[in-house]
């Protein structure tokens, strides 16, 4: 039973990891985008509709990326160019994504789609335990891990990553030495939208290969909490995503085993209850000073004239 459980944990963690790693880059640049849930839903419904219409999952994934970027650009124009409040705009983006996905997806309810193909290497994928564990996933699972590695390397070992972190820590200082703060933040916001779109595509094309209204089920909010839980560090985001994915799967297995005398509604609360508990502990306990949030997070940039 352990191997199937591990495989389901990986599947549950992948959309969290994709959304969280994109939000981490966005927040590292000093922008707080609370519209992750809406962008995930937009990516999910566009990926599904494109795949059904064209028969190509590749085009579906690409369309989800574009949808996420377009949604994030709308957020960027409002907050970076027009100086709208980031919190209010992010919430509005989530509400818009929920409504848009319901409108587009209404004609696709009950429509089947072929699940994303898993990697199959002859002679390797058939190895007991290690074969399914390492080579039994679809391309988006590997993409989530690859993106985490790439983001960790980019932020720590490249000049552009240093510039992005500088913009998030002290936007006025970065501007004073000639860096285009707004441009850097636009690219960070677009990357966050792209990753949220990928997370949505994974949900509708692989995790549950069908369209279900509101299928993100709060995962966008968990991804936001995951970034703070990880103290804005990519490797901690990776570990945290699998922990939260494990909690999600644990409640399903416990319900299947009879729920240990706990009502099913309480079991369904476990992932979100764990999120609240973790955020409360790290914000009020001795770890509060170690959160290491970007100094300019959520603050609008107004360059001196």
């Amino acid at each position: 039973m352990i191997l199937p459980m591990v495989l389901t944990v990986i599947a549950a963690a992948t959309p969290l990891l994709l959304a969280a790693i994109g939000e981490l880059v966005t927040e590292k640049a000093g922008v707080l985008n609370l519209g992750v849930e809406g962008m995930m839903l937009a990516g999910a419904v566009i990926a599904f509709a494109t795949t059904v219409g064209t028969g190509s999952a590749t085009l579906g994934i690409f369309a989800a990326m574009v949808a996420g970027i377009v949604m994030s650009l709308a957020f960027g124009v409002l907050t970076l160019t027009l100086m709208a409040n980031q919190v209010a705009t992010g919430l509005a983006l989530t509400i818009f994504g929920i409504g848009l996905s319901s409108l587009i997806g209404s004609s696709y309810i009950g429509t089947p789609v072929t699940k994303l193909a898993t990697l199959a290497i002859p002679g390797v994928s058939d190895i007991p335990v290690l074969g399914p564990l390492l080579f039994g996933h679809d391309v988006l699972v590997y993409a989530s891990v690859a993106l985490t590695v790439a983001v960790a390397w980019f932020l720590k070992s490249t000049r552009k990553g240093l510039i992005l972190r500088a913009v998030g820590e002290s936007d006025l200082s970065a501007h004073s030495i000639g860096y285009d703060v707004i441009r850097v933040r636009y690219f960070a916001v677009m990357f966050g939208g792209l990753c949220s779109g990928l997370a949505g595509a994974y949900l509708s094309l692989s995790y549950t290969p069908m369209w279900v209204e509101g299928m993100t089920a709060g995962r966008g909010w968990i991804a936001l909490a995951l970034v703070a839980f990880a103290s804005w560090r990519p490797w901690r985001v990776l570990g945290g995503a699998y922990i939260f994915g494990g909690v999600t799967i644990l409640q399903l297995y416990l319900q299947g085993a009879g729920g240990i005398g706990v009502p099913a509604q309480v079991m369904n609360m476990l992932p979100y209850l764990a999120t609240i508990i973790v955020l409360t502990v790290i914000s009020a306990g001795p770890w509060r000073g170690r959160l290491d949030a970007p100094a300019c997070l959520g603050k609008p940039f107004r360059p001196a004239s």
Side-chain angles (χ1 to χ4, degrees), residues 7 14 46 55 59 90 138 147 161 216 220 258 268:
L7 294 177
T14 297
I46 294 298
L59 287 177
D138 59 68
L147 278 173
T216 51
N268 290 333

Side-chain angles (χ1 to χ4, degrees), residues 40 122 136-137 150 176 178 191 201 211 220 248 263 297:
M40 287 177 67
H137 310 286
S176 67
F191 179 78
W211 168 250
T248 302
L297 180 61

Side-chain angles (χ1 to χ4, degrees), residues 245-257:
V247 173
T248 302
I249 297 304
L250 176 63
Q251 59 96 4
L252 295 177
Y253 273 86
L254 288 177
Q255 287 188 54

Side-chain angles (χ1 to χ4, degrees), residues 12 17 32 55 57 61 71 74 79 83 87 92 94 103 106 110 133-134 147 169 185 199 207-208 213 230 259 273 293:
L17 179 56
L32 179 62
I61 293 171
M71 293 276 285
T79 59
M83 298 294 178
V87 173
T94 289
L103 176 65
S106 60
L133 186 61
L134 299 179
L147 278 173
E169 294 295 339
R185 288 185 171 176
Y207 192 67
T208 51
E213 187 174 327
L273 186 61

Side-chain angles (χ1 to χ4, degrees), residues 236-298:
R236 293 186 185 180
V237 167
L238 177 65
Y242 283 94
I243 291 173
F244 280 90
V247 173
T248 302
I249 297 304
L250 176 63
Q251 59 96 4
L252 295 177
Y253 273 86
L254 288 177
Q255 287 188 54
I260 59 174
V262 178
Q265 292 83 355
V266 175
M267 301 300 296
N268 290 333
M269 289 167 51
L270 275 181
Y272 312 101
L273 186 61
T275 303
I276 294 171
I277 291 173
V278 166
L279 287 178
T280 302
V281 170
I282 65 176
S283 62
W287 302 276
R288 184 176 183 179
R290 305 178 194 174
L291 285 180
D292 200 24
C296 294
L297 180 61

